Structures are given as structure tokens and as C-alpha cells.
């Protein structure tokens, strides 16, 4: 099976940079995704990494190290609207196309 | 607007009753999924369908059934609801891993 670990809560101030880590255990890693979910809303897709390295999309970047079974989501120039839960999700070859989600990290951005 | 429509938005259901949660997508995605999300936790996969006519069991399938008669619709049925099925249910579809999942707005179900 698969398992993922991410911090339950992170707090940062507006304008700062925050990194949300995710470590995973899986038998046949395929890729790591990140999702954002605002309170009461649906998860929305942010990024997907299948190869080692950094993927940048505007203020958000996602990093993957397959050898360390580790990834992170980097949020820059934090805004109040970034307060939300962030989930990492892993796909593996034995479960191709189906994502297993972590329990999420609640990010609180303070003024 | 392309996306996923779920109905109802919320429902209070008496234990023992049968209920079907509806999910329709207009993106022509082959793969569709049902997840449940309990308070403060991540999403757990209930059932999935890789293409019309096929379905499979996820991590927590007991007490639920699905069907996939066509590409667009993927209903989830609770045969005889129990309080532990109180949760928020999200339907999702995928056109490929690189584009992630598109989620519906969810159905908040309370079983009393």
C-alpha cells in the first residue's frame, strides 16, 4: 500500500515563503501531486511531479526527490487567500491512475 | 462551464435508508472516482472507474456500490446507510495524471 506524511499545521505571515513537506512510502512510485482545498470547498489541482526537480507555476513550486521519497510545495509571496489545506497525493504503478491522499496541512496566513 | 456536477449538495438521511449520490462530468474523461472526506482528514477512495463499463474497489468500498453505464455519469449508492457513513463525498474525474483530478463541489451527507 501507500502512506504519506505531512505536517498537520503551518502558520506564516503575509508576504513570506512557506514550504510544506511530504514524505511517502509506496511500492512502485509513479508521481506526486498537490491539491489546495479551501474550507468547505472542493480540492483543486496545483501540480504534478513525476521526475526529480522543481516545477514552478507562478507563486507555487513543487519539488520531488524520488531517491528520498520526499517532496514539497513551496508557496512564495504569501497572500491571505492562500490560507487553506494542502494535500499531497501519490500514484504508484500498482495503483495506476488512482491517487492516495495525505491527511493534509492546514496553512494559516496571518497579516 | 466544463466540470463535474454533484447532487444533492447536502442531505440528512435516516439510518437504514438507501441513497444515490449523483455525479456527472462533461469533460469526456475516461477515469472517474468517488472519495469520502471525514472531518480534518484526507480523501479516501471508495470506488473508481477507469472507463465506461468498468468499476473497481478503492480503499473503503464496504457499504457502497457504483455503476458506469456511460462516460459522463458515475452514481454512488449507499444500500443501507449507517452513521459511520456521515462524511463529505467528492466525485472526481481525470484526463491524465499530469492534469490532476477535477473534483465536484461535494455532497455533505449526515446519517442519523
Amino acid at each position: 500500500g501507500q502512506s504519506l506524511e505531512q505536517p498537520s499545521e503551518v502558520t506564516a505571515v503575509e508576504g513570506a515563503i512557506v514550504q510544506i513537506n511530504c514524505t511517502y512510502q509506496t511500492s512502485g512510485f509513479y508521481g506526486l501531486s498537490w491539491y489546495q482545498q479551501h474550507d468547505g470547498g472542493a480540492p483543486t489541482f496545483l501540480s504534478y511531479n513525476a521526475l526529480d526537480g522543481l516545477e514552478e507555476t507562478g507563486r507555487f513550486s513543487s519539488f520531488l526527490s524520488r531517491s528520498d521519497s520526499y517532496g514539497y510545495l513551496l508557496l512564495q509571496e504569501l497572500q491571505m487567500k492562500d490560507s487553506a489545506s494542502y494535500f499531497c497525493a501519490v500514484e504508484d504503478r500498482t495503483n495506476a491512475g488512482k491517487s492516495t491522499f495525505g491527511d493534509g496541512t492546514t496553512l494559516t496566513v496571518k497579516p | 462551464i466544463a466540470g463535474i456536477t454533484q447532487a444533492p449538495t447536502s442531505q440528512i438521511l435516516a439510518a437504514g435508508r438507501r441513497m444515490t449520490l449523483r455525479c456527472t462530468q462533461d469533460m469526456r474523461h475516461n477515469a472517474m472516482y468517488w472519495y469520502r472526506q471525514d472531518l480534518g482528514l484526507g480523501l479516501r477512495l471508495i470506488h473508481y472507474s477507469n472507463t465506461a463499463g468498468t468499476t473497481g474497489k478503492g480503499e473503503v468500498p464496504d457499504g457502497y456500490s457504483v455503476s458506469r453505464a456511460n462516460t459522463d455519469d458515475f452514481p454512488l449508492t449507499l444500500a443501507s446507510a449507517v452513521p459511520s457513513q456521515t462524511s463529505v463525498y467528492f466525485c472526481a474525474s481525470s484526463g491524465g495524471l499530469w492534469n490532476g483530478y477535477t473534483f465536484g463541489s461535494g455532497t455533505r451527507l449526515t446519517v442519523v
Side-chain angles (χ1 to χ4, degrees), chain A residues 30 35 37 42 97-99 102, chain B residues 33 35 37 42 48 97 99 101 104:
Chain A
Y30 207 74
Y35 289 81
Q37 185 180 32
K98 298 181 289 296
S99 293
Chain B
Y33 312 89
Y35 284 87
Q37 185 176 32
Y48 66 93
L97 292 175
N99 297 315
Y101 288 7

Side-chain angles (χ1 to χ4, degrees), chain A residues 43-109:
Chain A
T44 56
F45 173 71
L46 293 176
S47 66
Y48 178 73
N49 295 70
L51 304 174
D52 287 355
L54 191 69
E55 297 277 345
E56 298 181 63
T57 308
R59 295 187 297 114
F60 293 5
S61 303
S62 57
F63 173 82
L64 175 66
S65 169
R66 295 170 65 111
S67 61
D68 295 322
S69 298
Y70 164 74
Y72 65 73
L73 180 70
L74 190 73
L75 297 83
Q76 302 182 73
E77 300 172 20
L78 280 174
Q79 302 175 10
M80 299 297 289
K81 67 178 182 180
D82 297 330
S83 291
S85 292
Y86 293 84
F87 296 88
C88 58
V90 67
E91 297 79 39
D92 71 28
R93 288 183 175 82
T94 63
N95 206 31
K98 298 181 289 296
S99 293
T100 299
F101 285 77
D103 284 341
T105 298
T106 300
L107 171 64
T108 302
V109 180

Side-chain angles (χ1 to χ4, degrees), chain B residues 11-107:
Chain B
Q11 181 76 43
I12 299 175
L13 186 68
R17 297 296 295 268
R18 178 185 179 91
M19 174 156 190
T20 296
L21 309 186
R22 301 185 298 279
C23 175
T24 300
Q25 55 117 348
D26 62 0
M27 297 171 285
R28 308 303 293 173
H29 287 167
N30 282 324
M32 296 188 75
Y33 312 89
W34 274 104
Y35 284 87
R36 61 176 286 174
Q37 185 176 32
D38 300 320
L39 191 63
L41 297 179
L43 298 104
R44 291 185 292 168
L45 182 65
I46 305 171
H47 284 287
Y48 66 93
S49 170
N50 287 331
T51 190
T54 70
T55 62
K57 294 181 179 180
E59 181 185 356
V60 288
D62 294 342
Y64 306 94
S65 64
V66 292
S67 62
R68 187 88 183 276
N70 57 62
T71 297
D72 297 344
D73 300 300
F74 190 43
L76 176 74
T77 297
L78 289 69
S80 178
V82 295
S84 62
Q85 292 178 311
T86 293
S87 190
V88 180
Y89 291 85
F90 288 101
C91 179
S93 71
S94 175
L97 292 175
W98 290 96
N99 297 315
Y101 288 7
T102 299
F103 283 87
S105 57
T107 294

